Amino acid sequence: MAAVAASRLVRLTRAVRELATFGAVGLIAFVVDLVVFNVLRAGVLADHAVTAKAVSVVVATLVAWLGNRFVTFRTQRTRGRRETVREGVLFAATNAGGLAIAAGCLLVSHHVLGLTSTLADNVAGNGVGLVLGTAFRFAAYKTLVFRSPDARRTKEPTE
């Protein structure tokens, strides 16, 4: 019984650490996203909020890729060229889903509801879109992207 409790404690500690580093990487990527979005929104893409959001998410995705690959999921990430390409494609697809969620929130707010202020764009794209997109990305990273072939073949022991 003590071994089961110790095993659960180890898994819980690992999960908390993983969530904390995912959050830190996400915070850094969020700041990058926010800065790039607002710089573009105030400048060259002033009249194209959704395009500005798409560009800012792409830049933030590159930051998130590096952080999650080499920090958060470093023990689960794949090795080798073929596996890394597979992981990169899945990461890009997952982030496209996150982008679609954030851009969809911004699209509805900006074009359907007519809330066109910078504040409204930030609340929709960087508030609501961020929360929904982050939940989607974490689940996808954990279950699809950062899973080594060994982890896919073996299951953790059950009680």
Side-chain angles (χ1 to χ4, degrees):
M1 199 61 156
V4 170
S7 174
R8 284 184 180 164
L9 182 60
V10 167
R11 284 196 312 261
L12 179 63
T13 301
R14 203 176 296 145
V16 168
R17 190 174 332 149
E18 190 173 77
L19 273 171
T21 56
F22 177 79
V25 167
L27 180 61
I28 292 166
F30 170 72
V31 170
V32 168
D33 185 10
L34 190 66
V35 169
V36 171
F37 173 75
N38 282 293
V39 166
L40 293 173
R41 182 80 166 77
V44 296
L45 294 175
D47 296 328
H48 303 284
V50 174
T51 303
K53 185 61 184 171
V55 171
S56 71
V57 167
V58 168
V59 173
T61 296
L62 293 173
V63 171
W65 164 257
L66 295 171
N68 283 307
R69 178 161 173 76
F70 293 105
V71 180
T72 307
F73 299 106
R74 69 185 171 276
T75 60
Q76 293 113 305
R77 70 184 168 98
T78 57
R79 309 275 189 236
R81 175 174 269 157
R82 183 174 184 201
E83 293 81 11
T84 300
V85 168
R86 178 199 147 280
E87 186 179 277
V89 168
L90 287 173
F91 189 87
T94 297
N95 279 284
L99 169 59
I101 291 168
C105 291
L106 181 58
L107 184 99
V108 168
S109 172
H110 197 87
H111 295 290
V112 176
L113 300 177
L115 303 171
T116 59
S117 71
T118 301
L119 176 62
D121 287 347
N122 275 288
V123 168
N126 297 318
V128 177
L130 171 78
V131 170
L132 296 175
T134 298
F136 168 77
R137 281 189 296 274
F138 181 78
Y141 291 168
K142 185 137 182 78
T143 59
L144 296 172
V145 178
F146 295 107
R147 303 253 339 210
S148 67
D150 294 337
R152 286 192 297 275
R153 273 185 249 137
T154 59
K155 301 273 185 187
E156 284 189 38
T158 58
E159 300 171 34

